[in-house]
Amino acid sequence: RQVVMRRASHSSVSVPENGAIVDEAGVRDYGQPSCYEGIDKTVSELQQRMVDALASSNPNDEAPITLDFFDALYARYTSRHGPLPAGNSEYRAKLLRAFQEGDTKWLWADIKDPTPGSWDLVFPPARRREDGTRDPSTEGWARTPLALIVWPTGGYLGYAFLPGVKKA
C-alpha cells in the first residue's frame, strides 16, 4: 500500500508502509506517523511560550518554560526512537552532583579510573515532586555529560553547572 503526498517542493512522493519517502529525484525522507501529532503540538506550543517568555520583561518566566521544552523534546525523541541510554542511576546521580557542585576532583578521578561508569548517557528530565515542581537535584537538562562540560551555563537558563570552574 502506498500513499502519494506533496512536499513543500510540490514534487510527488510515494510513501510505502515502512514510512520511507522517495521523491522523483531519489531523495529519501521519512514520513511522520500521526501518533506523533500530539507531542509535536506540545513541542510547538512550548516553543511559542518560550519565545513569548524571552520577549517578556521578566527573565524568571523563561527558565521553567525552557526546561519544559527540553522535556518535550526528550519525550518526542524517545517516543520516535526508543529510550536513550540513561546509565546506572546511582552512578548518574554521583555524576550529576559533580556537575552541579563543580566537583572537578571527582570528575578527573572518574575520567582517570580504568573502570569508570559510562558517560554514554542522557540525563532524563528531572523528577517531579508531589506538588508538580521539579526536583533540582535530578535536573540535568536532558543533556549528555559532554554537553554539560561544553556548555555548562545552558546559555540563558540562569543556572550554571560546574560553578566556580574556570573556562580554561
Side-chain angles (χ1 to χ4, degrees):
R1 181 179 89 168
Q2 291 194 349
V3 178
V4 175
M5 300 174 60
R6 295 246 176 232
R7 289 189 0 188
S9 66
H10 302 293
S11 63
S12 294
V13 296
S14 296
V15 184
E17 288 267 338
N18 68 1
I21 299 174
V22 180
D23 66 14
E24 289 128 359
V27 176
R28 189 171 182 85
D29 196 357
Y30 291 89
Q32 180 169 312
S34 60
C35 64
Y36 300 134
E37 288 175 4
I39 192 118
D40 286 337
K41 183 178 179 194
T42 301
V43 168
S44 296
E45 288 171 356
L46 286 168
Q47 188 172 16
Q48 185 56 52
R49 284 180 52 210
M50 190 168 61
V51 168
D52 294 344
L54 288 169
S56 82
S57 59
N58 185 356
N60 294 328
D61 291 346
E62 162 191 344
I65 294 168
T66 302
L67 291 172
D68 287 345
F69 180 67
F70 287 161
D71 292 356
L73 288 176
Y74 182 93
R76 181 171 69 177
Y77 184 91
T78 56
S79 72
R80 289 181 179 174
H81 305 290
L84 289 165
N88 173 289
S89 61
E90 184 178 317
Y91 174 75
R92 188 178 66 228
K94 290 177 184 177
L95 182 61
L96 184 57
R97 182 206 52 79
F99 280 113
Q100 290 172 334
E101 296 175 4
D103 188 348
T104 55
K105 287 182 182 179
W106 189 92
L107 291 169
W108 277 114
D110 187 58
I111 290 169
K112 292 175 182 178
D113 185 347
T115 58
S118 174
W119 280 34
D120 181 20
L121 64 93
V122 174
F123 290 105
R127 287 189 305 259
R128 297 286 181 151
R129 297 181 179 128
E130 287 184 25
D131 64 0
T133 59
R134 294 172 181 280
D135 176 359
S137 70
T138 64
E139 183 64 78
W141 296 345
R143 299 232 174 124
T144 65
L146 181 59
L148 293 177
I149 286 176
V150 172
W151 199 25
T153 62
Y156 42 81
L157 293 172
Y159 174 82
F161 286 88
L162 299 172
V165 177
K166 296 177 183 174
K167 290 183 179 183

